Each structure stands twice: as C-alpha cells, then as structure tokens.
Amino acid sequence: MVNSMVKSESKDNRPRLVLLSSIATSIVLVILFLFGAISTNALRGGFAYTQVDMAAGSIFVFVISMIISLSLWPKVMDWLEKRGEGEVVSK
C-alpha cells in the first residue's frame, strides 16, 4: 500500500519536475549561448554582436529550448522510470 502511494505521489509531481528540468536546461543553454557570443566578441577584437543581438538571441534560445525540452523531458523521465523498474524498454 505504501508503494502505491509513492508511485501516485511521483506522478503528481511529474509536471513540476518536467517544468523545473526544462527551465534548468534552458538556462544552461542560454549561458552557453552568451559565453559563445561574448567569447566571439573578445576574440575578434571588435564587436561582432551588439548587446541587443545577445539579448534577443538569449530570449530566442530560451524560448526554443523551453519548447523542445518540454516535449523531451517527459519521454526521458518515462524511459528512466521504466529502466529503474527493470522493464524492457522498446524503441
């Protein structure tokens, strides 16, 4: 009985976990994008990208990565859950 309660509680927290994972993934990708843009500006000596370009690019990367990660994280979590239960995962 306790085991079924743990599973149902895990299912209830899944949307929150997916959202937090997607936000974390998007933030990491935005940081990588900004690092690339800033290092490109530093290596070229001049300004290859303006601050407006970097801000707009960061917003674009965040939105696109949120869309993609919100669709991928549930599948990853299902796969990990099935793998943890010892079931055979079919492709």
Side-chain angles (χ1 to χ4, degrees):
M1 185 167 177
V2 174
N3 194 12
S4 65
M5 289 176 57
V6 171
K7 286 184 180 181
S8 66
E9 186 176 318
S10 173
K11 296 282 185 188
D12 293 340
N13 287 334
R14 179 170 282 200
R16 175 179 280 175
L17 188 58
V18 167
L19 180 64
L20 291 176
S21 300
S22 298
I23 290 172
T25 302
S26 297
I27 289 172
V28 167
L29 290 174
V30 167
I31 290 170
L32 288 174
F33 170 79
L34 285 174
F35 176 74
I38 292 169
S39 63
T40 300
N41 274 350
L43 290 174
R44 290 194 178 180
F47 288 106
Y49 304 111
T50 64
Q51 288 182 351
V52 173
D53 292 335
M54 289 188 274
S58 297
I59 293 168
F60 179 76
V61 168
F62 184 81
V63 169
I64 293 298
S65 63
M66 279 295 289
I67 291 169
I68 293 170
S69 63
L70 280 171
S71 65
L72 290 179
W73 272 114
K75 293 178 184 178
V76 169
M77 288 181 188
D78 285 340
W79 180 78
L80 289 173
E81 190 174 283
K82 287 180 183 178
R83 186 175 171 221
E85 292 175 356
E87 296 178 10
V88 177
V89 180
S90 61
K91 291 184 181 181

